[in-house]
Amino acid sequence: MSPVRTWLRTHPHAAEAARVALAAVLVGLVVFEGLALARQPTRPHAIVWASGLVVCLCALPWPRVSLVVRAWAAAAVTWTATGLMFLDRPEIVWGMGEALALLVLLSAVLLRAPSRTAAVLGPLLGLGCTAVPVRDASPGRFTLLFAVLTVVVSAYSLLLRAQSWQRVRDLQAVRQAERIELARELHDLIAHHVTGIVVQARAARFTSVEGQRAAETFGLIEEAGGEALSAMRRLVRVLRAGDPETEPVAGLAQIRELADRFSLAGPPAVLHVEPGLEERVPGEIAAAAYRVVREALTNVRKHAGDASAVRVGLRVVDGGLEVRVADDGSRAVRLPLSARGDGFGLAGLAERVTALGGELTAGPSPEGGWLVLAVLPLE
């Protein structure tokens, strides 16, 4: 959207006043020209006055008549009048109001009309505006004046159109990037829940689970499946809406819930969050920290089958917010091939952290087990 249209939308009363002023100026010029030409009533003078009146009416913003229709009508009328003038040229023909109205239509067409229509209709209006002073027997400096005005208006309108196109392309790129981000969010979230379901189901299959214990196990599986479906519906709804301005799905407040849910079906997750951290961490950094913890816990379930404990810590260091997830496992869980994933979880997570200006490392811990360490900037 061009700056002019943006200003008109944000100032409706001023826009209405501008429309009234434009109508008054154009109609006033045509009426004045009609009165001046009426002193010497001739057929060419009547044609010029009628042409100016129709073109000025076409330049006014009529809500029920589209811009393209009004512009085509104005172009047809002005070129018809110009052609008739060469058959019987008078000595004095003004046409100032008609030329200004053509400039108004030219700018509107170059800004708002479809590309193919503007490519044809724009030159017709521009040349028609330049041809209006030529109708006079002595066009003189007015022909040069309106030729310069046509070039200036055309260049400025095309510049605004190019800026509007660039803004649309930038907005589409932002939306596409956000959709990719949400798709990754959906992948990570579903992988986290479904991995827990697979682990619990396999444990129930190869372990003699009966009575109350079986009911608890199936209850956990049902709860994890319900949470996965709810989260998937929420994110798919956002993807369908296509609105990039969405709040993060989760943050620091949900990390404790994540650790508690993980402890129900796996090794206990001990969480330590530095006091007062919630008020100091921005929303996007909190969401990134949540994703780091979730991906790390998901990998513990996949790759640390003998882990006895997981330590999760969040604190402020010199580089920003430190997110640390460590386990003491050394043996991977034997999962079906379809449940092992493609290995892109940490790679995608590293891209997110790097995009925020942070760092992420993952590898064997000096104390044994696996360590995921991320440092996210707070400024």
Side-chain angles (χ1 to χ4, degrees), residues 34-95:
L35 294 176
L37 295 175
R39 299 175 181 176
Q40 297 178 344
T42 61
R43 178 174 172 272
H45 287 169
I47 293 175
V48 169
W49 185 80
S51 173
L53 182 61
V54 172
V55 172
C56 286
L57 290 176
C58 291
L60 300 181
W62 299 97
R64 296 185 179 181
V65 184
S66 68
L67 169 65
V68 174
V69 172
R70 291 187 282 112
W72 276 115
V77 170
T78 191
W79 279 108
T80 300
T82 298
L84 293 175
M85 289 301 98
F86 282 101
L87 298 178
D88 187 10
R89 296 182 65 179
E91 293 183 359
I92 300 176
V93 178
W94 200 334

Side-chain angles (χ1 to χ4, degrees), residues 261-278:
R261 290 199 305 266
F262 178 85
S263 299
L264 292 176
V270 180
L271 174 65
H272 173 72
V273 179
E274 183 175 321
L277 208 56
E278 289 81 1

Side-chain angles (χ1 to χ4, degrees), residues 26 43 56 74 78 81 100 105 111 119 125 134 159 164 213 227 229 235 243 264 301 322 334 373:
L26 294 179
R43 178 174 172 272
C56 286
T78 191
L100 292 177
L105 285 170
L111 281 173
L125 293 171
V134 181
L159 177 61
S164 178
R213 178 58 179 168
E227 291 176 354
L229 287 175
L235 285 176
D243 184 6
L264 292 176
R301 281 178 172 166
E322 181 187 85
R334 293 185 178 181
L373 182 64

Side-chain angles (χ1 to χ4, degrees), residues 17 40 69 123 135 152 156 159 192 216 232 254 261 268 319 342 358:
Q40 297 178 344
V69 172
R135 300 172 184 172
V152 172
Y156 182 69
L159 177 61
H192 173 76
E216 293 177 358
M232 182 174 64
Q254 286 72 36
R261 290 199 305 266
D342 51 15

Side-chain angles (χ1 to χ4, degrees), residues 129-135 138-149:
C129 175
T130 306
V132 168
V134 181
R135 300 172 184 172
S138 301
R141 67 187 66 180
F142 285 102
T143 302
L144 178 61
L145 172 64
F146 279 98
V148 172
L149 287 176

Side-chain angles (χ1 to χ4, degrees), residues 186 189-190 193 222-237 249:
L186 179 61
L189 193 147
I190 298 303
H193 288 296
E222 180 183 4
E223 182 181 355
E227 291 176 354
L229 287 175
S230 299
M232 182 174 64
R233 291 192 186 102
R234 181 170 64 250
L235 285 176
V236 169
R237 191 183 307 117
V249 175

Side-chain angles (χ1 to χ4, degrees), residues 111 157-169:
L111 281 173
S157 301
L158 290 175
L159 177 61
L160 292 181
R161 187 184 183 103
Q163 292 177 349
S164 178
W165 282 353
Q166 184 61 43
R167 183 178 181 277
V168 170
R169 286 193 293 267

